[in-house]
Amino acid sequence: MDVVERWVQLSYRRPVLTAGVVAVFVGACGVIALRFEQRGGRPGDTSTIAALIVASTAAALTVKRTHPWWALAITTAGTVAYIAYSGQFNAAATLPLSVCLCTVASRFEARTAIAATAAVCVGLTCVAAILGPQWLLVERVGLIGWPLLGASIGGVTRARNRYVTAVETRAQVSAALYEYEAERRVTEERLRISRDIHDVVAHHLAALNLQIGTARHVLDRPELAAQALAGMHENSEAALREIKGLVGMLRAADDEPRGPVPGLSDVDALVDAALASGLDVRTIVAGSVRPAAPDVELAAYRVIQEALTNAAKHAPGEPVTLTMTYRLSTLTIEVGNRIAAAGRRKTGGGFGLAGMSERVRAAGGHLDADDGGGGRFVVAVELPLAAAYEVRSR
């Protein structure tokens, strides 16, 4: 940290102390400068009264931060008093006034600072015209030039302080927005992973439950029981693989490549696994099959997975119809099954339907899940097909 920064910080912490130091320094410089030779070879002012006037005028700078208008009035009066006493121009006598105008211009708005500076300059010009008719033009200009210089330095200081404040505020706002965005992304990632874990675990456990039930009923037929056990083994391995992949995503760094995510090309394997677990699934595909955006494909896959899981859980033994319709800009998916005789399924329980709805909304689509009439339960999803993927598929 340099000397200027230290002085600025000290001026904010100890304004009276720093103002006193400035007053002493300006007073000493003014008294010494009075003795310097003037323009045209005129000797300096060595009188004691002139030195006292300049020193007492500089003493008003001790209150320039706490009472700036009082300080301005006193320094202006001191400058006028020197002119009235000596009848001549001396730039040293305007030094305290110039410093005070610098403080006023740095602390107040531009209009206020300009008005104060103009009033001081007009007053000094009138005083010079009355008390110094023999003054040269350069002396009249110099009388107001030094106060104008001080006010200009104060205006530049005020503009710089505002710029620094604006930059700091912008940096703080940017940091706050960055933290908010980071927290939002973390929350979204946690929700996404929780949905994936729910979909994987629920699907495979439901399939295992069906296969265990089948194995229990065919224990007297070893070949069928062996098939059920083989399906259980495949389902458990698939569940372990997917859970391992999800855990690996949690442990991976942000810049590490992630493994492939399931999509529409994996729906056939998903249906085959459901058939192997004992679920009766009929698949209907209409329209021209084409790829979609990765988030849309993942949402479609998870919706079909969850819908098949719910059908196996809430309506075991009932046939399921999966319909996928490709239109110009949308993909419609319907998974319907008859409601089991044991009771009607409630759409508001658990997290399956809520997770599907959140996932579909995140992909830009919408989901309806309710009784479709005729004793059937239908999950209907409409997802967008991006134009870029449509063009690429042609």
Side-chain angles (χ1 to χ4, degrees):
M1 185 181 298
D2 57 16
V3 177
V4 176
E5 291 181 355
R6 291 179 181 274
W7 176 258
V8 171
Q9 292 184 0
L10 181 62
S11 66
Y12 281 104
R13 292 197 303 265
R14 298 288 189 271
V16 177
L17 175 62
T18 54
V21 173
V22 170
V24 172
F25 179 76
V26 171
C29 290
V31 171
I32 295 173
L34 282 176
R35 300 174 177 270
F36 291 168
E37 183 179 352
Q38 301 296 303
R39 176 182 289 272
R42 290 185 302 177
D45 194 342
T46 59
S47 64
T48 304
I49 296 178
L52 289 176
I53 292 175
V54 173
S56 59
T57 303
L61 296 178
T62 56
V63 295
K64 66 185 180 67
R65 293 186 62 87
T66 56
H67 300 85
W69 298 116
W70 281 106
L72 181 61
I74 295 172
T75 52
T76 304
T79 304
V80 173
Y82 177 81
I83 296 174
Y85 166 74
S86 64
Q88 63 180 356
F89 168 76
N90 194 314
T94 63
L95 183 58
L97 177 60
S98 301
V99 174
C100 187
L101 277 174
C102 179
T103 301
V104 170
S106 65
R107 294 190 56 188
F108 294 94
E109 296 292 333
R111 291 182 179 180
T112 303
I114 291 174
T117 304
V120 169
C121 291
V122 170
L124 292 179
T125 302
C126 294
V127 170
I130 296 172
L131 301 180
Q134 75 284 3
W135 286 13
L136 299 176
L137 179 60
V138 66
E139 294 175 329
R140 299 179 188 276
V141 174
L143 181 63
I144 63 174
W146 290 105
L148 283 175
L149 178 60
S152 300
I153 295 174
V156 172
T157 302
R158 180 178 58 84
R160 178 186 177 278
N161 291 340
R162 283 195 169 187
Y163 174 75
V164 171
T165 302
V167 170
E168 292 177 349
T169 302
R170 185 180 302 174
Q172 293 174 357
V173 171
S174 299
L177 289 176
Y178 178 80
E179 292 179 359
Y180 170 77
E181 182 67 16
E183 292 178 358
R184 186 184 66 81
R185 290 186 178 183
V186 169
T187 302
E188 289 182 353
E189 186 71 5
R190 289 175 59 188
L191 291 175
R192 185 189 66 79
I193 293 173
S194 66
R195 288 195 297 264
D196 287 345
I197 292 177
H198 172 272
D199 294 343
V200 170
V201 173
H203 172 74
H204 289 290
L205 286 182
L208 286 173
N209 184 52
L210 285 176
Q211 290 167 340
I212 290 173
T214 302
R216 290 179 58 188
H217 286 85
V218 296
L219 287 177
D220 55 340
R221 302 175 62 181
E223 65 281 1
L224 295 180
Q227 291 180 2
L229 290 173
M232 293 166 58
H233 179 69
E234 293 177 359
N235 260 321
S236 61
E237 283 190 341
L240 289 174
R241 282 197 304 270
E242 294 197 40
I243 292 176
K244 183 179 179 180
L246 292 174
V247 174
M249 291 172 60
L250 288 174
R251 293 180 175 177
D254 293 338
D255 55 350
E256 292 183 9
R258 297 184 176 184
V261 295
L264 293 173
S265 60
D266 301 302
V267 171
D268 291 339
L270 185 63
V271 172
D272 292 340
L275 291 172
S277 65
L279 190 63
D280 183 8
V281 183
R282 179 189 178 193
T283 304
I284 301 174
V285 180
S288 177
V289 179
R290 57 190 185 275
D295 58 337
V296 173
E297 293 209 7
L298 177 60
Y301 178 88
R302 292 303 186 193
V303 165
I304 296 172
Q305 184 183 51
E306 180 65 21
L308 294 178
T309 300
N310 289 342
K313 183 189 303 183
H314 298 286
E318 300 293 341
V320 181
T321 302
L322 168 61
T323 305
M324 301 174 62
T325 305
Y326 290 85
R327 295 187 174 88
L328 181 62
S329 60
T330 59
L331 168 63
T332 302
I333 301 173
E334 291 186 357
V335 182
N337 60 278
R338 290 189 301 175
I339 299 176
R344 298 174 66 85
R345 176 170 27 169
K346 297 180 180 179
T347 61
F351 300 99
L353 292 177
M356 282 195 293
S357 180
E358 292 175 359
R359 189 185 294 279
V360 170
R361 284 200 304 270
H366 63 87
L367 177 144
D368 294 321
D370 206 344
D371 295 346
R376 289 180 59 81
F377 187 87
V378 179
V379 175
V381 176
E382 185 174 290
L383 292 167
L385 291 176
Y389 290 89
E390 294 176 10
V391 173
R392 189 181 65 183
S393 63
R394 293 176 182 176

